[in-house]
Amino acid sequence: CITLSSAFAIPPSFPMIRLKKSEPPKHAPLVSMRGGAEGAGKGEVAKAYEPEEKDQSAQAMAFFNSERIPAALITGASLGVLFAFPLKHGEGYALGFMKRLYITLCCSAFCHELVAVFASSLAIAALLQLKHNPIGKSPAQMLLRECPLYFMAVRAHFLTGVLCFAGALAIRMYTDYHVGCSRFARAMLCLLAASCCYMVSLFNTSLVHFDNLGHLWWEYLMTIIKEIGIRKPGPIGLLTICLAGFATYEIVYVLGLFALLASGLVGAKEAPLPK
């Protein structure tokens, strides 16, 4: 819950936070190095740095490659631990809830990172077709103008997959260690939660065209809706929406039911377990 709330927090200003687009750098003007000491003596002052418009294709491809490699590694790691906590008949409701939540987070991490890898590959293929305008003041500006869907998909799904993967590890560690030493298990759980919150905070400071991770996801979803309006969804698109909706409903139902059973608010006779 803390990690999710931090995704919508706008961090306070500190040295590595971005500058607003209308603000010049807040440091003293640099003395021009042309002419050496003579230029400095004349008090020649360098102009405030303004990025020039140039071809950003190479930097854009480098960005997608840098995101695709770690996303592929996390995809493999998520698949490796997905079946490491199997369900067993007759286990307690609390343990059953933790196992199902663990599997949900592992599968979500795998799906998010898989989408990030696939979107990166599609973006590189689209840039290689040379049907876009590569001129821009920065690679992010050019990508948001030419292929915003791929750019936001990679950024949103990559970090979300990392958070899901870390959440799954936290659940597995807590369920394994809380019996032997519950205090130590809580400490390790808080340590992982602190790391996730710090990652989200750092991610928010790196955003230039968005306020925070929540804003990025909102703009990403709005872009998907706009794409659906422009390109009418075919059978595959409609099937994707139906499957995603059905999966969300079943996950919420099962996790909610086991949470109620584990807390004792509902008895097993009142709410039979789903098969």
Side-chain angles (χ1 to χ4, degrees):
C1 293
I2 296 175
T3 305
L4 289 176
S5 62
S6 65
F8 294 89
I10 301 178
S13 301
F14 60 94
M16 66 180 298
I17 197 169
R18 67 186 184 276
L19 296 172
K20 294 182 180 179
K21 289 186 279 187
S22 59
E23 292 183 356
K26 296 180 180 179
H27 53 68
L30 298 177
V31 177
S32 174
M33 298 303 294
R34 295 181 181 178
E38 182 180 357
K42 292 181 180 179
E44 296 180 2
V45 178
K47 294 182 180 180
Y49 173 73
E50 292 184 2
E52 60 180 4
E53 293 188 350
K54 60 181 180 179
D55 189 344
Q56 304 289 348
S57 297
Q59 290 84 349
M61 290 187 184
F63 162 75
F64 286 116
N65 281 321
S66 66
E67 295 283 323
R68 183 172 57 172
I69 294 174
L73 293 176
I74 299 176
T75 301
S78 302
L79 184 61
V81 299
L82 179 60
F83 305 99
F85 212 20
L87 302 177
K88 295 181 180 179
H89 181 70
E91 58 192 3
Y93 296 134
L95 182 59
F97 170 76
M98 299 296 283
K99 283 187 174 183
R100 285 160 176 80
L101 183 58
Y102 168 85
I103 295 171
T104 301
L105 290 175
C106 283
C107 189
S108 299
F110 175 78
C111 294
H112 280 296
E113 299 300 338
L114 190 62
V115 171
V117 173
F118 188 65
S120 299
S121 301
L122 290 179
I124 293 174
L127 293 174
L128 290 175
Q129 295 176 6
L130 302 179
K131 295 182 179 180
H132 64 284
N133 179 14
I135 305 302
K137 291 185 178 181
S138 67
Q141 181 195 44
M142 188 271 288
L143 290 173
L144 282 173
R145 185 188 68 235
E146 299 297 327
C147 49
L149 183 62
Y150 296 151
F151 178 70
M152 288 188 283
V154 171
R155 298 224 70 187
H157 286 288
F158 176 73
L159 181 61
T160 306
V162 172
L163 295 177
C164 290
F165 183 72
L169 292 181
I171 291 174
R172 179 62 189 271
M173 183 173 56
Y174 182 78
T175 54
D176 286 349
Y177 297 152
H178 84 284
V179 177
C181 185
S182 60
R183 193 167 186 174
F184 177 75
R186 289 195 298 269
M188 294 298 100
L189 188 64
C190 292
L191 181 60
L192 272 174
S195 300
C196 291
C197 293
Y198 186 57
M199 284 191 298
V200 174
S201 179
L202 289 178
F203 183 83
N204 288 341
T205 61
S206 70
L207 295 174
V208 177
H209 302 277
F210 308 96
D211 294 332
N212 45 54
L213 178 59
H215 185 214
L216 172 61
W217 263 104
W218 175 258
E219 293 295 333
Y220 173 48
L221 294 176
M222 292 299 102
T223 303
I224 293 177
I225 294 175
K226 290 179 182 178
E227 289 291 329
I228 292 176
I230 296 173
R231 307 174 184 178
K232 301 301 180 181
I236 297 180
L238 295 176
L239 181 62
T240 301
I241 297 174
C242 293
L243 291 175
F246 177 77
T248 303
Y249 171 78
E250 290 294 328
I251 290 172
V252 172
Y253 174 76
V254 172
L255 291 179
L257 178 60
F258 270 87
L260 292 175
L261 291 172
S263 62
L265 297 177
V266 177
K269 295 182 179 180
E270 301 175 6
L273 295 179
K275 307 223 176 157

